[in-house]
Amino acid sequence: MDFAIGDRVRLAAQPPYLKSADPLPMLRPPDLLAVGEIGTITGLRPGGYWVVLFDRGSFLLDPPFLAKVETETNLTG
């Protein structure tokens, strides 16, 4: 699935660990985020890792662990 900066995404699967998006990334336990949590894509790093901002911080995630959040369209007519 293709993502873009600014897209809202949810954590679709629990990764084996989380990697912080800090200048000096650190490995974090995967239970900091629950499957289904919503975040916003804020960047793309080398290797195809998306930077996703969640309530508990920014993390680097592979696309298979993410799903795009569909937004409702406001139809008037």
Side-chain angles (χ1 to χ4, degrees), residues 53-74:
L53 176 63
F54 291 96
D55 288 339
R56 292 189 172 209
S58 290
F59 299 97
L60 302 174
L61 292 165
D62 284 324
F65 296 108
L66 301 172
K68 199 173 211 178
V69 173
E70 299 299 325
T71 58
E72 293 183 26
T73 57
N74 188 6

Side-chain angles (χ1 to χ4, degrees), residues 8 11 17 37 41-42 46 48 52-53 56 58 60 63 66 68:
R8 303 271 297 157
L11 189 63
Y17 59 86
E37 281 198 53
I41 292 181
T42 59
V52 184
L53 176 63
R56 292 189 172 209
S58 290
L60 302 174
L66 301 172
K68 199 173 211 178

Side-chain angles (χ1 to χ4, degrees), residues 22-44:
D22 299 327
L24 183 60
M26 294 178 54
L27 296 181
R28 308 290 298 175
D31 60 355
L32 284 179
L33 298 176
V35 172
E37 281 198 53
I38 305 292
T40 304
I41 292 181
T42 59
L44 179 62

